Amino acid sequence: MSEFLVNLLGERLVNSEKAEVDVQSLGAKLSLVGLFFGCSLNAPCKQFNGSLCEFYTRFKKACEHKDKLEIVFISSDQDQKHWQDFLQEMPWPALPFKDRHKKDRPAVWLLALPYMDLCSR
């Protein structure tokens, strides 16, 4: 999964402390990656973020497979300050603000389509 994630997201993500996260080493241990497409100014995204944080925190504390799942935030924010503030609420890494254009790549949307299809039902 490592090579796939590097091709999709690039070599580095960032966390809320602005530390870099190496995608190659992150992907080596994962079985499932959730891509959270969102925007800090969108009320449903903010609400979903709270629920997702709650799930993620419980999963990482209690599940024996806690190292097999990671979520990556992919922002639609146009303002870096808004992006930074929203990222502070997240316990998972994010695509760096300067790389947010990568969300427009077809491979990213191919991964998101099954989820979007479920949401439209």
Side-chain angles (χ1 to χ4, degrees), residues 100-106 108-109:
R100 67 191 185 286
H101 65 279
K102 289 181 181 178
K103 73 180 178 301
D104 298 328
R105 295 169 64 190
V108 173
W109 286 106

Side-chain angles (χ1 to χ4, degrees), residues 17-102:
E17 289 87 35
K18 299 181 185 172
E20 288 189 350
V21 176
D22 180 64
V23 174
Q24 184 77 28
S25 61
L26 178 71
K29 61 184 179 180
L30 297 178
S31 297
L32 182 63
V33 176
L35 300 179
F36 173 21
F37 294 86
C39 178
S40 66
L41 301 177
N42 182 286
C45 288
K46 295 280 281 183
Q47 184 176 9
F48 178 71
N49 185 57
S51 298
L52 188 57
C53 283
E54 186 179 314
F55 161 79
Y56 182 89
T57 302
R58 280 189 318 217
F59 183 88
K60 291 292 187 171
K61 284 182 181 176
C63 184
E64 65 182 276
H65 302 290
K66 62 185 171 194
D67 295 333
K68 300 291 184 186
L69 167 72
E70 192 55 83
I71 296 172
V72 176
F73 176 56
I74 300 176
S75 180
S76 293
D77 284 301
Q78 298 300 312
D79 179 88
Q80 188 166 3
K81 173 77 169 114
H82 290 136
W83 172 82
Q84 287 174 324
D85 291 345
F86 200 29
L87 185 59
Q88 291 299 311
E89 301 173 21
M90 300 175 189
W92 48 76
L95 194 65
F97 183 77
K98 66 179 178 56
D99 293 337
R100 67 191 185 286
H101 65 279
K102 289 181 181 178

